[in-house]
């Protein structure tokens, strides 16, 4: 079992930055692959970024690559999503997610644990 607590969402103007945090508790964080998904109104939940349990392997959706950075601190049991050069199309609810596997988790059906989501709104 693991509980995920997200923070850092909010409103920002286009070109600005936000840093999302997801603190995990309940189990050994270093055993979990972690992902950030996002869901815009009227759209399906989709992958934004993912990171393996060690932090050595990452994945980014084409829409965010070069602008977003996923990282993790296995001492603080926290995964981060640094979002730079934000665009209005990045507006969505962002969800932290975890699964106790090696490698990456890139699709919602693979996820076992979800955070509650945090709203990111980017204005033009």
């Amino acid at each position: 079992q693991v509980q995920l607590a997200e923070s850092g969402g909010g409103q920002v103007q286009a070109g600005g930055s936000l840093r999302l945090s997801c603190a995990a508790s309940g189990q050994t964080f270093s055993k979990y692959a972690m992902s950030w998904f996002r869901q815009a109104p009227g759209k399906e939940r989709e992958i934004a970024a993912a990171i393996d349990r060690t932090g050595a392997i990452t994945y980014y959706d084409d829409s965010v690559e070069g602008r977003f950075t996923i990282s993790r601190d296995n001492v603080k049991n926290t995964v981060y999503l640094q979002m730079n050069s934000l665009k209005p199309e990045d507006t969505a609810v962002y969800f932290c997610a975890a699964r106790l596997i090696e490698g990456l988790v890139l699709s919602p059906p693979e996820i076992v644990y979800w955070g509650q989501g945090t709203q990111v709104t980017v204005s033009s």
Side-chain angles (χ1 to χ4, degrees):
Q1 304 179 35
V2 64
Q3 294 174 279
L4 305 175
E6 299 153 308
S7 62
Q11 297 190 48
V12 65
Q13 293 186 346
S17 299
L18 285 173
R19 188 193 191 202
L20 306 183
S21 298
C22 176
S25 62
Q27 295 293 324
T28 303
F29 179 71
S30 62
K31 297 288 188 179
Y32 286 83
M34 303 294 297
S35 302
W36 287 98
F37 290 82
R38 62 185 185 176
Q39 187 169 17
K43 299 181 68 177
E44 297 295 317
R45 193 170 299 184
E46 62 184 17
I47 186 70
I51 191 166
D52 82 318
R53 59 170 61 177
T54 72
I57 305 171
T58 58
Y59 169 87
Y60 300 94
D61 183 75
D62 288 345
S63 65
V64 308
E65 190 163 10
R67 300 186 297 116
F68 290 12
T69 302
I70 188 170
S71 62
R72 66 190 298 157
D73 187 332
N74 285 352
V75 175
K76 296 182 178 180
N77 290 354
T78 303
V79 64
Y80 305 95
L81 186 66
Q82 179 67 47
M83 304 184 293
N84 298 326
S85 301
L86 282 162
K87 304 175 181 179
E89 51 263 44
D90 294 319
T91 295
V93 178
Y94 284 71
F95 297 89
C96 180
R99 188 176 181 182
L100 192 65
I101 63 167
E102 295 185 8
L104 300 173
V105 180
L106 304 180
S107 63
E110 300 177 73
I111 297 299
V112 175
Y113 302 103
W114 291 95
Q116 64 182 0
T118 183
Q119 178 70 46
V120 172
T121 302
V122 184
S123 59
S124 59

